[in-house]
Amino acid sequence: KKPNVERDVTINKSEFKAAVVRHLHCTLGTDENKANNHAWWKATCSAMQEQVLEGIRKTQKTHYLNDTRAVHYFSAEFLMGRLLSNNLQNFGLFDVANDALNELGVSLSDVLEEEPDMALGNGGLGRLAACFIDSLATMELPAIGYGIHYEHGLFRQEIQGGAQIERPDSWRDYGNPWEICRPESIQEVSLYGYVETKYGENGRIQKEWHPGHIVKGIPWDIPVVGYGGKTVNVLRLWQSKSSGYFNWDVFNAGGYVDAQVENVQAETISKVLYPNDETEAGKELRLIQQYFFCACSLKDIIRRYKRAHGDDWSRFIDQVVIQLNDTHPAIAIPELMRILVDRAELDWDQAWGICTKVFAYTNHTLLPEALERWPARMLEKILPRHLEIIYEINHRFMKEVDKKWPGDNAVKARLSIIEEGNEKMVRMGHLSVIGSFAVNGVAELHSRLVKQNLFPEFDALWPGKLTNVTNGITPRRWLKACNPALSKLIDKKVGADWPLELKKLEGLEKYAGNKTFQKQFMQVKQQNKQLLAAEIKESLGFDVDTNAIFDVQIKRLHEYKRQHLALLHIMALYRRLLENPDYDMHPRVFIFGAKAAPGYKLAKDIIYAINKVADKINNDARVNQKLKVAFLPNYRVSLAEKMIPAADVSEQISTAGKEASGTGNMKLALNGAVTIGTLDGANIEIAEEVGDDNIFIFGLTVDEVNELKASGYKPYDYYYKNPEIKAVLDWLETDYFTPGKPGALASIKQSLLDHGDQYLVLADYEAYSKAQEEVDKAYRDKERWAKMAIINTAKMGKFTSDRSIRDYVERIWKLNACPVRKG
Ligand code: DL6
């Protein structure tokens, strides 16, 4: 069903102005003469919040009256970014606010810069969750996001002497105008303790968990405004607090500090986001975080369900679907079983029947180090009853496996939730597959590999359960809001409703060869490049030429994403220019943004190396008319919004088979950047959409990667065969880039030669370098490039997150839209 386009919110400029001033006076206790930009930001948010709250009220009333089935998106991460600009856009009030603030002598763009990013996520899956809840609200679907109200989100990255330094993120130090505390919905969560086995009157065995610790979960609602401003769903984030508040006895006995200990322990749960994206941390606190938000959220769902249906569980599966964003919330499966069996006293089969119709699970990675496994001993200590339930689930599942593969112990060992070994481990991926009715990967290739390599026997056991839903991005944030100049140009050509129907961008294709349109399109790109150049100047202190190719690689720093492949190539260009000052290349600025997990040494070494190479090149007058390197610190959503519109080239160069999907690839192409990439993740689908002429594909395919590895990959062969590879790797060992510190960059060379080059950087180097020469050639042909850029934008319709959500709704969630109307 098409979402409703016309706007519901009508507030004019003078009303908006009055609301802002009123909040300046009455909410903030200041006035127009004294207010700084931060105060103006808060007052503008509060003015918006009036509209937002009304939207939430109407939405919740409508959903309640219609007794709607809803999706509950469980995610340990939501990488929301800033909200003011997005909310203004989605309510259709951006221009109204701009004009209103202008009349007050204030610049909206300055005010927008005051907002700290809500960085409650690491990267891919967290930002995906944020795009999905935007689409859900836009498509008027009953939905709620559930997560953790981290006091500190992803660390702030500083670069000192080239190295990454982590600083705490404090997104709500000065208050956050969007969040609404809901003390009426506080929940209590149990931890630790022991399980008592009892016999009920009818001889039924009953289990009672006697917890050792109880914490409170306080819900904070963040509004999620759909485009058009009709449906305003919420993201409900749980903050942990001690349930006992304060130990007065200890305090009175003189233990001033000890009296606080319980509070501090309880509050630690939601204190900080774990900064790892593709490695499981295996820490007790992490498991507690996961259980904490799942338990609070399930109680919240059940409270709402019972308000409408009392103790009748028969309709639960009609009303509730829960999407598990990766395995982080997988503990919700045994928790729901515990509630149904121990609390509601349903028998096991009935409870399992409900459970396996409620949960669906999305896998986001195949990297073995990212697949969560918890020591059974840890689970036993923190959640003793849950471990029992997991054993029971597994016991029954093993019987099912035995029916399909009688007597095959090897298959049982592979499929078991419990991994036997020195230490018994609970495999959360297996639990998620067994406890869910649908399992999806996030791009065609990834989903195929999930079936073939990760869970092959599960696919044989339950054909059809494993499926694909290709990721998407919200075009509201990732084009309409972040690239206003291009949006306006597009409006003129295809009409203004493309943010709701992204396929309409195909209407641009017919102008791809039109010289006037090409000029206009590239003029917008040039303006955006100027804005980014100003950002680079402010942040890094040097100028970049906006006629150069802006070559952008923005994503987490990980060996499989191969930022070091790009680095080797940059060093090679530098070397070519030094050897031959007339070396023919179009000027290029390589621009990076990336955070490394604080404990990931090699990733941090790569950041250091990029910065050190950048320092040298940027200060070398012999080459810096043609080559510059900019590593912009603290990559985050709001910085991405500035980098993406300015990119000419999008680097998507992961080892084939390793990047599940990628979503930066979609954002960059949507904004007219041309991809240089491997046949990995969603790059493949992007290539299908834009066609071979409008993308630069290079490198080994998944099958070739496997063959090469099977035949015994020898990175030294490439080192000895290719003099350029040898030269740049040897260069890393000198003190050329790190004067006085020879060997400071040597770990990269070691990883590629002595440690086996796990991600085949050297094997793909030559193909990458050749593909970059093709990029250079194509860019010099202005018309050809403009055409490619336009076609990239035109062909991104498939990658709207509305399409992903439609896939989930139709094939997995079976949800109906519930329009919210005036009144
Ligand atoms: O599905 C969203 C996103 C993908 O686009 C990326 O390819 C993938 O790397 C990322 N994974 C994560 C961390 N995974 N775990 N666990 O964010 O998911």
Side-chain angles (χ1 to χ4, degrees):
K1 245 177 121 187
K2 269 193 208 155
N4 214 320
V5 194
E6 92 272 6
R7 304 275 150 86
D8 209 15
V9 177
T10 46
I11 171 170
N12 63 30
K13 181 179 62 183
S14 40
E15 287 163 340
F16 198 89
K17 219 166 105 181
V20 173
V21 171
R22 180 159 36 81
H23 282 288
L24 213 52
H25 296 178
C26 307
T27 310
L28 301 172
T30 185
D31 71 27
E32 296 91 311
N33 301 323
K34 279 206 296 191
N36 60 11
N37 276 337
H38 194 77
W40 283 110
W41 166 67
K42 273 199 169 162
T44 311
C45 292
S46 301
M48 269 309 294
Q49 190 75 330
E50 290 180 3
Q51 311 293 326
V52 168
L53 290 173
E54 185 53 7
I56 291 180
R57 186 190 67 75
K58 281 196 279 184
T59 303
Q60 293 188 346
K61 188 172 158 196
T62 309
H63 291 173
Y64 178 70
L65 291 177
N66 288 284
D67 194 17
T68 51
R69 172 176 170 80
V71 63
H72 306 78
Y73 201 84
F74 278 28
S75 178
E77 304 189 7
F78 285 90
L79 194 44
M80 301 293 285
R82 292 172 171 164
L83 300 188
L84 177 57
S85 147
N86 197 68
N87 289 350
L88 285 169
Q89 291 282 359
N90 282 9
F91 265 130
L93 289 175
F94 194 88
D95 292 339
V96 171
N98 193 31
D99 295 349
L101 289 184
N102 239 332
E103 286 188 9
L104 290 163
V106 178
S107 137
L108 176 59
S109 56
D110 290 349
V111 166
L112 295 176
E113 285 299 315
E114 287 298 312
E115 182 162 352
D117 276 40
M118 231 180 124
L120 309 187
N122 275 285
L125 70 83
R127 184 52 234 174
L128 186 77
C131 284
F132 279 3
I133 57 178
D134 175 278
S135 284
L136 283 161
T138 297
M139 295 162 82
E140 304 205 280
L141 290 157
I144 177 164
Y146 277 114
I148 300 175
H149 188 269
Y150 299 107
E151 188 176 325
H152 301 287
L154 187 59
F155 65 87
R156 187 162 53 78
Q157 179 193 56
E158 282 179 14
I159 301 295
Q160 278 182 18
Q164 167 176 300
I165 308 288
E166 299 90 29
R167 302 275 182 229
D169 158 73
S170 309
W171 64 284
R172 57 194 301 274
D173 264 8
Y174 309 109
N176 181 288
W178 300 112
E179 54 187 13
I180 309 147
C181 189
R182 302 284 195 195
E184 68 277 19
S185 301
I186 285 174
Q187 301 295 349
E188 286 197 335
V189 173
S190 304
L191 295 164
Y192 303 103
Y194 65 96
V195 180
E196 186 191 358
T197 304
K198 294 200 249 177
Y199 293 91
E201 280 166 12
N202 48 4
R204 187 178 192 261
I205 293 177
Q206 279 179 330
K207 297 283 190 169
E208 191 168 344
W209 178 18
H210 297 278
H213 207 89
I214 293 182
V215 292
K216 271 198 311 197
I218 301 179
W220 293 85
D221 286 352
I222 311 289
V224 183
V225 179
Y227 189 70
K230 292 178 186 306
T231 290
V232 185
N233 286 328
V234 298
L235 165 61
R236 177 158 284 192
L237 301 177
W238 298 97
Q239 178 193 23
S240 61
K241 275 260 192 253
S242 158
S243 55
Y245 289 125
F246 201 78
N247 193 333
W248 286 104
D249 293 339
V250 177
F251 183 77
N252 290 334
Y256 302 112
V257 174
D258 292 348
Q260 288 273 23
V261 164
E262 201 190 325
N263 286 357
V264 171
Q265 279 173 348
E267 284 165 26
T268 302
I269 298 175
S270 59
K271 191 60 101 192
V272 56
L273 164 79
Y274 274 94
N276 307 312
D277 71 337
E278 301 268 5
T279 39
E280 49 100 354
K283 294 271 193 305
E284 191 169 313
L285 178 59
R286 169 95 164 158
L287 176 61
I288 295 175
Q289 286 187 334
Q290 298 182 348
Y291 177 64
F292 166 73
F293 95 86
C294 289
C296 288
S297 310
L298 279 174
K299 283 191 166 177
D300 201 47
I301 293 170
I302 291 168
R303 173 189 58 79
R304 209 172 296 119
Y305 173 78
K306 286 197 164 185
R307 200 172 60 176
H309 303 281
D311 286 335
D312 172 13
W313 286 96
S314 67
R315 297 207 48 212
F316 194 69
I317 57 170
D318 301 327
Q319 300 302 98
V320 176
V321 56
I322 297 175
Q323 188 68 34
L324 304 173
N325 196 25
D326 214 273
T327 55
H328 314 147
I331 196 69
I333 296 169
E335 171 66 357
L336 183 58
M337 284 303 285
R338 187 186 70 81
I339 295 169
L340 296 176
V341 174
D342 296 358
R343 296 273 155 183
E345 299 190 358
L346 302 190
D347 66 39
W348 182 278
D349 290 337
Q350 219 183 336
W352 188 241
I354 291 176
C355 227
T356 47
K357 286 185 193 74
V358 161
F359 291 105
Y361 151 61
T362 306
N363 173 282
H364 294 271
T365 185
L366 297 168
L367 297 190
E369 63 271 29
L371 300 175
E372 286 193 305
R373 293 142 70 248
W374 291 107
R377 263 187 310 122
M378 192 191 284
L379 261 161
E380 190 171 23
K381 178 176 156 204
I382 300 169
L383 301 170
R385 179 62 184 134
H386 296 75
L387 185 64
E388 287 185 356
I389 291 171
I390 290 170
Y391 282 146
E392 184 63 28
I393 293 172
N394 199 43
H395 173 69
R396 290 166 185 251
F397 173 61
M398 286 293 108
K399 282 195 191 159
E400 204 177 325
V401 174
D402 197 57
K403 265 194 219 143
K404 171 102 181 162
W405 293 283
D408 190 337
N409 288 334
V411 84
K412 274 197 202 143
R414 281 200 298 278
L415 290 188
S416 172
I417 300 173
I418 309 300
E419 187 181 290
E420 304 287 346
N422 282 346
E423 169 143 44
K424 255 193 202 173
M425 304 293 278
V426 179
R427 296 160 164 161
M428 301 310 268
H430 289 47
L431 176 63
S432 303
V433 177
I434 295 163
S436 298
F437 65 89
V439 176
N440 74 284
V442 289
E444 293 286 353
L445 170 69
H446 169 64
S447 300
R448 177 160 70 75
L449 298 176
V450 166
K451 274 194 204 175
Q452 275 174 10
N453 302 347
L454 190 62
F455 301 132
E457 287 101 349
F458 284 113
D459 191 40
L461 193 58
W462 298 308
K465 182 165 173 171
L466 273 60
T467 178
N468 174 57
V469 179
T470 297
N471 281 342
I473 55 170
T474 168
R476 273 75 66 179
R477 182 178 289 267
W478 296 112
L479 179 52
K480 169 105 185 151
C482 76
N483 197 345
L486 185 57
S487 300
K488 284 188 184 130
L489 182 63
I490 294 173
D491 286 354
K492 285 194 203 137
K493 291 292 172 202
V494 304
D497 57 352
W498 57 266
L500 288 172
E501 284 183 68
L502 204 61
K503 282 275 181 190
K504 290 232 164 132
L505 293 184
E506 275 182 10
L508 296 175
E509 206 181 349
K510 63 171 179 280
Y511 303 104
N514 174 312
K515 296 227 168 59
T516 316
F517 187 69
Q518 287 184 349
K519 214 165 148 202
Q520 290 167 335
F521 194 94
M522 293 316 286
Q523 258 166 9
V524 168
K525 185 60 84 184
Q526 186 62 20
Q527 280 168 28
N528 292 333
K529 285 166 79 170
Q530 278 156 7
L531 294 174
L532 184 59
E535 180 76 26
I536 291 173
K537 173 87 177 172
E538 194 183 316
S539 170
L540 301 173
F542 58 83
D543 292 304
V544 291
D545 173 8
T546 53
N547 292 312
I549 302 173
F550 275 24
D551 183 315
V552 172
Q553 189 169 13
I554 40 176
K555 48 187 77 250
R556 278 300 281 248
L557 204 309
H558 199 291
E559 286 164 272
Y560 85 78
K561 296 179 189 272
R562 301 198 297 191
Q563 281 93 349
H564 48 339
L565 173 56
L567 177 68
L568 296 186
H569 173 247
I570 291 168
M571 291 170 68
L573 290 179
Y574 183 26
R575 188 169 164 275
R576 289 177 208 170
L577 285 167
L578 289 182
E579 281 186 347
N580 171 14
D582 296 325
Y583 176 70
D584 190 23
M585 65 174 271
H586 190 87
R588 210 184 287 214
V589 185
F590 289 94
I591 306 170
F592 292 88
K595 287 181 181 173
Y600 188 174
K601 164 103 176 31
L602 192 68
K604 291 174 95 169
D605 288 352
I606 294 172
I607 290 182
Y608 181 63
I610 294 173
N611 280 307
K612 286 294 160 190
V613 170
D615 274 355
K616 198 78 188 175
I617 291 176
N618 297 338
N619 292 303
D620 190 336
R622 294 171 296 176
V623 301
N624 68 16
Q625 296 303 308
K626 284 201 174 156
L627 193 59
K628 285 237 167 123
V629 183
F631 185 100
L632 283 168
N634 202 27
Y635 180 61
R636 60 199 183 283
V637 171
S638 59
L639 185 55
E641 287 165 7
K642 294 174 181 153
M643 296 173 89
I644 288 169
D648 292 307
V649 175
S650 158
E651 297 269 351
Q652 308 300 335
I653 58 178
S654 51
T655 318
K658 300 292 177 194
E659 186 70 88
S661 157
T663 47
N665 46 4
M666 302 167 187
K667 292 165 197 164
L668 283 154
L670 180 63
N671 284 271
V674 181
T675 304
I676 176 165
T678 45
L679 285 173
D680 198 17
N683 294 352
I684 298 173
E685 288 157 75
I686 290 177
E688 279 164 14
E689 295 297 303
V690 302
D692 294 346
D693 291 346
N694 298 302
I695 190 164
F696 298 92
I697 295 293
F698 72 94
L700 301 167
T701 61
V702 173
D703 291 343
E704 287 164 351
V705 164
N706 292 337
E707 278 158 30
L708 183 57
K709 287 205 159 179
S711 68
Y713 172 54
K714 294 194 195 73
Y716 266 107
D717 290 352
Y718 297 83
Y719 175 77
Y720 289 121
K721 258 192 286 176
N722 183 327
E724 189 163 69
I725 291 181
K726 183 170 187 311
V728 294
L729 287 181
D730 292 347
W731 213 0
L732 282 172
E733 266 182 337
T734 67
D735 75 346
Y736 187 82
F737 299 102
T738 53
K741 289 194 222 158
L745 310 181
S747 62
I748 297 171
K749 178 177 174 185
Q750 277 159 18
S751 80
L752 297 178
L753 292 176
D754 304 331
H755 304 157
D757 186 13
Q758 214 192 326
Y759 297 102
L760 305 179
V761 171
L762 302 190
D764 267 345
Y765 175 83
E766 201 172 315
Y768 176 63
S769 173
K770 288 214 172 94
Q772 284 289 20
E773 279 171 27
E774 292 302 313
V775 170
D776 180 273
K777 202 165 96 197
Y779 192 84
R780 294 192 216 194
D781 180 344
K782 292 267 169 280
E783 278 174 32
R784 177 177 168 204
W785 191 269
K787 190 171 171 200
M788 290 175 88
I790 294 166
I791 286 180
N792 269 272
T793 299
K795 292 294 195 168
M796 281 307 106
K798 171 175 176 183
F799 302 104
T800 168
S801 45
D802 299 352
R803 190 268 315 139
S804 312
I805 290 299
R806 205 171 302 123
D807 279 358
Y808 279 106
V809 163
E810 286 169 8
R811 297 196 289 113
I812 298 175
W813 299 338
K814 314 280 183 206
L815 272 191
N816 290 317
C818 181
V820 177
R821 295 288 166 254
K822 284 198 174 107

